[in-house]
Amino acid sequence: MSQSELSQLQEQLQRYQKRYLREKTARKEAESLLEQRSRALYDANFELSTVAAQLEKIVEWRMAQLSEALLKAEMAAKAKSEFLAVMSHEIRTPLNGVLGMAELLSHSQLTREQGDQVATLQECGTSLLALINDILDLSKIDAGKLTLEQRPFNLYSLLDSVVSLFEPKAMEAGLTVTWQRPTGHAWLLGDATRLRQITSNLLSNAIKFTHQGGITVSVSMAPLEDTFDMLRLQLDVRDTGIGMTEEQMGKVFTAFEQADSTTTRRYGGTGLGLAICRRLAEAMGGRIDVSSVPGEGSCFSVYWVATTVAAPQTEAPAEIQPQAVVPASTQSLSVLVAEDNMVNQKLIIKLLDKLGYRDVLLAGNGRQALERVSQGDVELVLMDMQMPEMDGLDATRAIRQSKLPRQPHIIALTANAFDEDRERCQQAGMDDFLSKPVSLERLSAAMQRGHNHLNPPGAAS
């Protein structure tokens, strides 16, 4: 090999050595960088895992807090419902005695002064009962337990009956009530009872705050766009009363608030009526608004959407008309009163005596009622719900399971006035339901229904 070739080979070897050294250095730098990045990634993953674990603990803690808060809220709602149910029962029980005895007094021979005193007693008791019902309604709405019926009703007939109910009260105050009734019929699908409640509240309020002039009730409707059986409805109750300022209008729909909340306020009331009206209108998918000018009057407007329905073949009345108090049938019934309260025992016996039921049996609790019915000669039972030893529900279930020659007609007569109480009574096997305070008229109607159930018209005697 020549010297020049050897030199070229050495140069080439040196280049390879330099390249090797550069690559080795680069590889070490890359390995070092990779190690640094790996450690950084490990540290980041560790930190992320730590943060994730901390977040998971925080989430678990917050979820535990929320669960505890939800449980407390549910317990509070349940406690509120139970409290209202107990208070309703405890208030209605003595109120049943007050109103019942007052009604019996009103049917006796009284002087004019005594008659006025009894009428005042009845009016005060009725006002207290209305307040209890308002509080219960508001609590049911707040608890989300309000259910609306969807049944056909005639809107115009409903308003006819409500307006006619308030006309005497308006006349006593020197006011007129004008019902601008459209022609024809307006059969809708909805809750007639709640709409009646709204209208009654608005009319009562209008009469209360109007000293001269009158009240006008009107209704308008228009087809809902892109539908063939839906209507937009507007019900207006306009008065020529004292009116309200903007500030006052902002408070009238708030529960327990009034436009005038000073200690010198002229008008009484709890402020629940309009609050309930607004909640009911919202439950119907609508709203209620007010416009007013001080000294010139106010107009309350209810807006909602309803489905139209065809009028039935035989048009039913818009409401159940009060039934006259009638004496017992010539074919008397064997009646048992299951009631633990002595005042209510005395009252019910007197009411039944007024209706012609002379021989009435008594049971102080559900167990006594079951034992007495088991003898097989009791035809009708007035059953209280809450009684010692055995309540009315358990007693009714036991009676229905008993092998009797003929099952009695059982009417719940109870201070438990919630819808769920009625359902519980029906599920237990009761045939009818009367909430306290009970009037002679309502008791008479229930007894007649019981007689018809036990002795259907046309049945062989």
Side-chain angles (χ1 to χ4, degrees), residues 395-459:
T396 300
R397 293 187 190 98
I399 290 171
R400 294 308 186 210
Q401 293 171 2
S402 300
K403 294 181 179 180
L404 298 171
R406 186 182 185 187
Q407 280 286 337
H409 185 84
I410 302 179
I411 302 173
L413 182 57
T414 174
N416 298 66
F418 288 96
D419 291 338
E420 48 265 38
D421 296 318
R422 180 187 296 270
E423 292 174 3
R424 288 168 63 200
C425 289
Q426 291 175 345
Q427 292 170 0
M430 297 189 190
D431 301 292
D432 207 341
F433 185 92
L434 284 177
S435 61
K436 297 174 184 175
V438 65
S439 66
L440 193 62
E441 177 184 294
R442 291 171 57 229
L443 180 60
S444 171
M447 296 298 288
Q448 188 60 51
R449 289 194 297 270
H451 186 277
N452 294 339
H453 177 259
L454 293 167
N455 302 281

Side-chain angles (χ1 to χ4, degrees), residues 269-320:
T270 60
L272 286 175
L274 291 177
I276 292 173
C277 285
R278 166 163 282 184
R279 308 286 182 86
L280 290 176
E282 291 172 350
M284 292 163 54
R287 72 180 197 279
I288 181 171
D289 294 332
V290 60
S291 59
S292 185
V293 177
E296 297 184 14
S298 305
C299 179
F300 286 85
S301 300
V302 184
Y303 303 89
W304 79 104
V305 174
T307 303
T308 60
V309 293
Q313 296 294 328
T314 301
E315 183 169 329
E319 64 176 354
I320 299 174

Side-chain angles (χ1 to χ4, degrees), residues 16 39-41 59 91 103 111 129 144 146 178 230 249 256 262 267 271 298 330 348 354 375 383 389-390 393 401 433:
Y16 286 151
R39 181 168 293 279
L41 183 59
V59 170
I91 293 173
E103 184 176 19
T111 65
L129 180 61
L146 178 71
T178 304
M230 302 287 287
M249 284 189 286
F256 301 105
T262 65
Y267 305 95
S298 305
T330 53
I348 296 167
K354 194 78 175 177
Q375 298 179 24
M383 183 78 76
E389 294 192 37
M390 178 183 284
L393 298 176
Q401 293 171 2
F433 185 92

Side-chain angles (χ1 to χ4, degrees), residues 258-274:
Q258 289 198 323
D260 179 10
S261 57
T262 65
T263 56
T264 59
R265 63 191 177 98
R266 178 177 178 182
Y267 305 95
T270 60
L272 286 175
L274 291 177

